[in-house]
C-alpha cells in the first residue's frame, strides 16, 4: 500500500513551470512532465533520474519543504546545513520516486478543486484513478516571487512533510541537522 501511495505522489508531483498560471494548471503541467519521463522508453535509468531531479529542482519549493520537515531545527541550523539538507532532501525524493517510475501503468488524474488562501497558499485536490481504486491526493503549494510551487502533498491522509518529519525526528533530537545531513548523505551514497 505504501508503494502505491508513493507512486501516486510521483505521478502527480507538480511541475510548476509558468508564474502566470494558477495552481491547478501548474499541477497539470507537472503530471505531464512526470508521465513523460515514465513513458519515455528511450531514456536510460540514469537519464530518467536526472530528468526527475530537474523536475524537482525547478518545480518543488525545496526551501519551504525543508523548513516544514525540520520544524524548529531549521531555525537552529546554519546556512550551510540548510543548503545541504535541501540538496539531500531532493536526493531522497529522486531516489524514492525513480523506482516508482517503473510502476506507471496509465493511471489517470482528475482535478477536483482548488483553494487559495491569503493569496500565497493553495491546495489542489485530485483523484488518481488506478485499475482498482480512486485515490485522493492533495497538493499544497506556496507562491514565492509570483510563482506557485509545491511544498507538500497528502495521499490518503499521509503528508510527505509529516512522514519525513516523523522519520527524521529521532536523529534530529540526538544529532541536530548536521547529524541528519550525515545520515542522509551516507544513505544516499549507498544507492
Amino acid at each position: 500500500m505504501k508503494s502505491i501511495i508513493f507512486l501516486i505522489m510521483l505521478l502527480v508531483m507538480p511541475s510548476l513551470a509558468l508564474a502566470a498560471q494558477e495552481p491547478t494548471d501548474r499541477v497539470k503541467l507537472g503530471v505531464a512532465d512526470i508521465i513523460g519521463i515514465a513513458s519515455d522508453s528511450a531514456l536510460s535509468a540514469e537519464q530518467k533520474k536526472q530528468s526527475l531531479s530537474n523536475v524537482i529542482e525547478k518545480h518543488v519549493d525545496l526551501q519551504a519543504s525543508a523548513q516544514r520537515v525540520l520544524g524548529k531545527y531549521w531555525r537552529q541550523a546554519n546556512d550551510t546545513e540548510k543548503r545541504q539538507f535541501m540538496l539531500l532532501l531532493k536526493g531522497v525524493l529522486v531516489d524514492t520516486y525513480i523506482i516508482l517510475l517503473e510502476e506507471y501503468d496509465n493511471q489517470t488524474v482528475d482535478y477536483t478543486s482548488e483553494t487559495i488562501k491569503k493569496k500565497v497558499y493553495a491546495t489542489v485536490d485530485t483523484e488518481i484513478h488506478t485499475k482498482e481504486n480512486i485515490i485522493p491526493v492533495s497538493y499544497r503549494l506556496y507562491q514565492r516571487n509570483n510563482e506557485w510551487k509545491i511544498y507538500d502533498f497528502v495521499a490518503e491522509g499521509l503528508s510527505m512533510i509529516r512522514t519525513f518529519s516523523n522519520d527524521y525526528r529521532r536523529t534530529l533530537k540526538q544529532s541536530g541537522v548536521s547529524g541528519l545531513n550525515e545520515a542522509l548523505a551516507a544513505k544516499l551514497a549507498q544507492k
Side-chain angles (χ1 to χ4, degrees):
M1 181 64 166
K2 195 172 186 179
S3 66
I4 289 174
I5 291 169
F6 283 121
L7 174 62
I8 291 161
M9 289 186 267
L10 167 70
L11 292 174
V12 291
M13 184 185 300
S15 171
L16 310 171
L18 303 172
Q21 293 183 323
E22 294 300 315
T24 300
D25 295 329
R26 293 170 188 267
V27 171
K28 288 178 180 179
L29 287 173
V31 170
D33 285 351
I34 297 299
I35 290 173
I37 295 167
S39 60
D40 189 345
S41 60
L43 292 177
S44 69
E46 189 57 37
Q47 289 170 321
K48 285 185 178 189
K49 192 171 183 176
Q50 184 58 54
S51 295
L52 182 56
S53 178
N54 292 342
V55 167
I56 291 169
E57 178 72 28
K58 186 174 180 183
H59 305 299
V60 173
D61 190 328
L62 289 167
Q63 179 179 332
S65 296
Q67 286 175 301
R68 287 161 176 82
V69 168
L70 295 179
K72 68 180 181 180
Y73 296 96
W74 178 264
R75 292 182 297 280
Q76 298 169 3
N78 64 42
D79 289 344
T80 302
E81 291 169 332
K82 290 175 182 178
R83 281 190 302 272
Q84 184 180 16
F85 180 73
M86 288 187 295
L87 188 64
L88 291 166
L89 182 60
K90 181 176 78 168
V92 168
L93 291 170
V94 169
D95 280 357
T96 299
Y97 298 123
I98 196 67
I99 297 164
L100 300 173
L101 282 175
E102 301 304 320
E103 296 181 22
Y104 173 70
D105 190 26
N106 296 318
Q107 292 88 347
T108 60
V109 181
D110 287 336
Y111 302 86
T112 58
S113 69
E114 173 184 287
T115 306
I116 298 176
K117 293 181 183 177
K118 299 181 183 180
K119 298 182 182 179
V120 294
Y121 294 98
T123 301
V124 175
D125 294 319
T126 66
E127 292 179 340
I128 308 301
H129 295 260
T130 69
K131 292 177 182 175
E132 298 86 24
N133 298 316
I134 297 174
I135 303 164
V137 180
S138 295
Y139 298 90
R140 296 177 182 159
L141 298 96
Y142 179 70
Q143 188 177 161
R144 185 191 313 264
N145 300 324
N146 201 34
E147 183 177 19
W148 289 103
K149 289 192 173 190
I150 190 89
Y151 70 88
D152 192 14
F153 44 86
V154 180
E156 295 187 320
L158 296 176
S159 158
M160 174 195 74
I161 296 294
R162 196 172 317 127
T163 299
F164 287 157
S165 195
N166 289 339
D167 289 349
Y168 302 154
R169 180 178 293 134
R170 185 174 182 189
T171 303
L172 285 166
K173 282 182 180 180
Q174 293 176 346
S175 309
V177 175
S178 64
L180 177 60
N181 285 345
E182 288 176 22
L184 290 176
K187 186 176 181 179
L188 289 170
Q190 293 175 356
K191 298 194 180 225

